């Protein structure tokens, strides 16, 4: 079993409500305190109970694609250790756990009937969560497309959207009696533009037209899956999507720089929230990319299918994007310090003349600037984009070089400061009128961090990958106190 959080001396002051004058920042009653993971990053057991390869199995086993030659074959063995992991969640006082379902574990070829052994794992996981008082939130797609579907064309192929809807109906029918919160897609931008544009994510293709086609078919898949879920879920269920939207900023008010912001905002944000929230792609996106594609794959009726009413919107946030127009005449050609991995191919179609700059300030181990104001700005933007739609922060967190001390404890004061600052930004947005219902820390556990392998640790819980021992870090204890009190405790040693 994992080390108990509630028995730690660090948490001896945990109370049911913040005390006046304690320095705690109270959140609204019922605010969700959660943590998130994804299937390929934690489950392991990639060849058990009928599961077949996903694009990430193939990608991670391709030499040179993942740091250290790491794979998710074992990951953190959550498939076998889920009961202990759920006990740890309960010990932390989490009120919700966001996890993803592995598509090839449920529907190995991406077609046809489900493998019940795969569904049974998620049934057991949901039952264990409910028994421990932790509300499950299911993400249907967190990047693990069945390899068979990729071989048939992947997300650039329209048929994949229909297969996704079929899969959504299968999972909804199996778990809908016990799960109320549903998310169709996680970060479709990464699936489309890192998977098919820059190639730094699975399946590793480097075709800007394929990336744009994938973006549209991910949108279509979201709409079709939303309709499929609504056909099998009870009326109390909530259907959402999680977008990794980002604030796009510039260095000046020069018209060329402002146009660079417009173009990148369309590619980073509007390409998804335009159809999903407004039933239309952003004005100018088609013209910006006209030299690459005529967008003929957007068929009559597609936008109506995509524009399904949502019950909530998930926002994933890590850092803002800073851009300017390239100025080759004065020695400033376009560069791509965009934080999305090294590649000779850009994830930004038709934007080779835009310069991506590193934003100033302190950075995490990912090289991403720590800027909580970006989270506040993002929340307020979507409060305007979709008035009346409840918001959840479905991912936010930081990677640091966490190491146990001589006594085996893991102290991560940087992560505590990060969480305090970003949760304060959420609180500020709520005070400004935003309807934010919850926050999901990324991530519950150290895990397989995609192309970075096991080099980057995002978890509030330290995992010794050799022994699979779980050790709550000091940030886990801090977050446990926040979850149990409903407010933000001070950052140790700072008085704030």
């Amino acid at each position: 079993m994992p080390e108990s959080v509630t028995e730690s001396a660090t948490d001896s002051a945990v109370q049911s409500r913040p005390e006046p004058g304690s320095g705690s920042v109270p959140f609204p009653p019922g605010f969700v305190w959660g943590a998130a993971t994804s299937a390929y990053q934690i489950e392991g057991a990639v060849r058990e109970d009928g599961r077949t390869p996903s694009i990430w199995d193939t990608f991670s086993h391709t030499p040179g694609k993942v740091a250290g030659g790491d794979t998710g074959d074992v990951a953190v063995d959550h498939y076998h250790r889920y009961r202990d992991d759920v006990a740890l969640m309960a010990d932390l006082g989490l009120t919700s756990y966001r996890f993803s379902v592995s598509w090839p574990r449920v529907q190995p070829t991406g077609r046809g009937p489900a493998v019940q052994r795969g569904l049974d794992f998620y049934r057991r996981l949901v039952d264990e969560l409910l028994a421990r008082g932790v509300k499950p939130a299911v993400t249907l797609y967190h990047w693990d497309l069945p390899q068979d579907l990729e071989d048939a064309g992947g997300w650039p192929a329209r048929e994949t959207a229909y297969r996704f809807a079929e899969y959504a109906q299968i999972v909804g029918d199996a778990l809908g009696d016990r799960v109320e919160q549903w998310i169709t897609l996680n970060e479709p931008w990464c699936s489309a533009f890192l998977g098919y544009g820059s190639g730094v994510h699975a399946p590793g293709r480097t075709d800007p037209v394929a990336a744009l086609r994938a973006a549209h078919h991910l949108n279509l898949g979201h709409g079709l899956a939303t309709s499929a879920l609504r056909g099998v879920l009870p009326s109390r269920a909530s259907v959402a999507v999680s977008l990794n939207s980002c604030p796009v900023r510039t260095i000046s008010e020069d018209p060329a720089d402002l146009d660079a912001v417009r173009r990148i905002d369309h590619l980073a944000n509007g390409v998804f929230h335009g159809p999903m929230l407004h039933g239309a792609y952003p004005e100018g996106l088609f013209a910006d990319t006209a030299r690459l594609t005529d967008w003929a794959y957007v068929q009559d009726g597609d936008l109506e299918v995509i524009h399904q009413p949502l019950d909530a919107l998930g926002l994933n946030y890590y850092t803002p994007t800073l851009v300017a127009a390239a100025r080759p005449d004065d020695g400033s050609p376009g560069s791509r310090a965009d934080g999305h991995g090294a590649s000779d191919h850009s994830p930004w179609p038709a934007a080779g003349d835009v310069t991506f700059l590193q934003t100033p300030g302190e950075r995490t181990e990912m090289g991403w600037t720590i800027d909580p104001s970006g989270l506040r700005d993002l929340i307020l933007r979507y409060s305007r984009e979709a008035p009346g739609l409840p918001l959840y922060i479905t991912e936010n967190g930081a990677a640091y070089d966490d190491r146990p001390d001589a006594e085996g404890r893991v102290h991560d004061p940087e992560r505590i400061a990060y969480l305090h600052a970003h949760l304060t930004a959420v609180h500020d947005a709520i005070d400004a009128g935003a309807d934010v219902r919850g926050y999901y820390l990324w991530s519950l556990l150290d895990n397989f961090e995609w192309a970075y392998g096991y080099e980057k640790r995002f978890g509030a819980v330290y995992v010794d990958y050799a022994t699979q021992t779980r050790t709550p870090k000091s940030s886990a204890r801090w977050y446990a106190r926040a979850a149990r009190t409903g407010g933000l405790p001070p950052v140790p040693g700072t008085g704030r």
Side-chain angles (χ1 to χ4, degrees):
M1 291 288 288
E3 174 187 346
S4 173
V5 175
T6 54
E7 293 175 359
S8 166
T10 307
D11 297 301
S12 60
V14 169
Q15 299 155 1
S16 60
R17 286 288 181 269
E19 288 187 347
S22 67
S24 182
V25 178
F27 277 68
F31 189 83
V32 172
W33 298 89
T37 65
S38 85
Y40 188 71
Q41 292 181 274
I42 67 166
E43 283 183 3
V46 297
R47 299 176 186 86
E48 293 188 33
D49 294 333
R51 184 188 181 278
T52 57
S54 74
I55 55 174
W56 268 99
D57 293 277
T58 303
F59 188 82
S60 66
H61 280 269
T62 303
K65 295 297 187 181
V66 174
D70 293 335
T71 74
D73 287 3
V74 176
V76 297
D77 198 31
H78 176 73
Y79 193 76
H80 300 113
R81 300 170 186 265
Y82 73 92
R83 289 188 176 88
D84 286 352
D85 289 341
V86 172
L88 178 55
M89 296 174 212
D91 210 23
L92 286 170
L94 299 184
T95 55
S96 184
Y97 172 53
R98 176 182 169 234
F99 64 93
S100 76
V101 173
S102 169
W103 190 347
R105 194 179 295 285
V106 167
Q107 201 183 24
T109 65
R111 300 178 179 84
V115 171
Q116 291 303 316
R117 289 171 295 169
L119 280 174
D120 284 346
F121 168 71
Y122 297 105
R123 291 184 177 108
R124 294 192 301 270
L125 174 59
V126 166
D127 288 346
E128 192 74 16
L129 288 164
L130 294 174
R132 292 279 190 165
V134 181
K135 188 174 182 178
V138 169
T139 301
L140 287 170
Y141 187 73
H142 200 130
W143 308 351
D144 48 358
L145 185 71
Q147 184 61 45
D148 278 19
L149 289 184
E150 173 59 23
D151 294 342
W155 283 110
R158 185 178 181 89
E159 183 66 16
T160 303
Y162 294 98
R163 300 286 66 75
F164 180 61
E166 179 184 69
Y167 156 71
Q169 181 172 338
I170 288 170
V171 180
D173 191 52
L175 302 179
D177 60 333
R178 286 160 287 181
V179 176
E180 295 183 6
Q181 289 187 291
W182 293 82
I183 294 167
T184 54
L185 304 172
N186 178 78
E187 299 186 358
W189 186 90
C190 295
S191 297
F193 296 105
L194 300 184
Y196 294 94
S198 67
V200 299
H201 278 194
R205 290 161 62 178
T206 54
D207 179 348
V209 177
L212 291 168
R213 291 178 64 94
H216 177 64
H217 295 139
L218 283 155
N219 282 328
L220 182 62
H222 157 77
L224 292 167
T226 299
S227 294
L229 286 172
R230 293 240 163 84
V232 295
L233 296 179
S235 60
R236 68 179 183 277
S238 169
V239 180
V241 65
S242 286
L243 303 179
N244 59 317
S245 299
C246 65
V248 183
R249 298 169 175 171
T250 189
I251 57 175
S252 82
E253 295 299 308
D254 184 291
D257 292 339
L258 294 177
D259 191 59
V261 169
R262 178 195 64 79
R263 291 165 59 195
I264 297 307
D265 186 68
H266 287 347
L267 287 170
N269 303 316
V271 68
F272 294 107
H273 79 229
M276 290 181 183
L277 299 181
H278 307 304
Y281 281 101
E283 185 177 352
L285 175 64
F286 291 176
D288 292 341
T289 57
R291 67 180 178 83
L292 294 176
T293 176
D294 62 5
W295 290 80
Y297 40 85
V298 180
Q299 297 184 10
D300 289 346
D302 281 3
L303 291 169
E304 289 77 10
V305 172
I306 296 166
H307 187 211
Q308 298 293 316
L310 293 173
D311 300 300
L313 177 65
L315 299 176
N316 296 359
Y317 172 80
Y318 293 96
T319 194
T321 296
L322 182 64
V323 302
R327 294 175 173 86
D329 292 343
D330 63 10
S332 304
S335 63
R336 196 164 56 77
D338 61 2
H340 292 301
S343 172
D344 293 334
H345 303 270
S346 173
W348 307 101
D353 56 346
V354 174
T355 296
F356 290 81
L357 305 164
Q358 283 203 331
T359 52
E362 185 182 353
R363 303 182 189 285
T364 69
E365 284 291 310
M366 295 292 289
W368 298 340
T369 302
I370 301 168
D371 189 344
S373 72
L375 179 55
R376 180 200 62 219
D377 293 348
L378 193 67
I379 293 169
L380 294 178
R381 173 183 182 168
Y382 280 96
S383 292
R384 297 188 298 269
E385 288 273 355
L389 187 64
L391 303 176
Y392 289 84
I393 308 308
T394 41
E395 282 188 29
N396 178 238
Y400 289 106
D401 187 18
D402 304 316
R403 300 176 186 274
D405 64 16
E407 286 75 38
R409 297 171 299 187
V410 183
H411 298 288
D412 56 343
E414 302 92 347
R415 186 173 287 104
I416 293 175
Y418 180 101
L419 294 176
H420 186 279
H422 285 78
L423 279 160
T424 298
V426 174
H427 192 276
D428 290 346
I430 293 172
D431 280 349
D435 183 11
V436 185
R437 304 282 181 90
Y439 176 94
Y440 289 83
L441 166 69
W442 186 270
S443 178
L444 176 69
L445 302 162
D446 290 336
N447 55 43
F448 176 82
E449 186 49 41
W450 306 115
Y452 294 94
Y454 295 98
E455 289 185 355
K456 309 296 185 184
R457 292 181 178 269
F458 274 90
V461 175
Y462 181 87
V463 178
D464 181 323
Y465 296 124
T467 66
Q468 297 293 351
T469 301
R470 276 80 158 137
T471 303
K473 304 173 188 178
S474 54
S475 62
R477 296 190 170 90
W478 183 90
Y479 192 65
R481 185 175 177 186
R484 293 183 185 282
T485 64
L488 301 187
V491 178
T494 67
R496 61 178 174 85

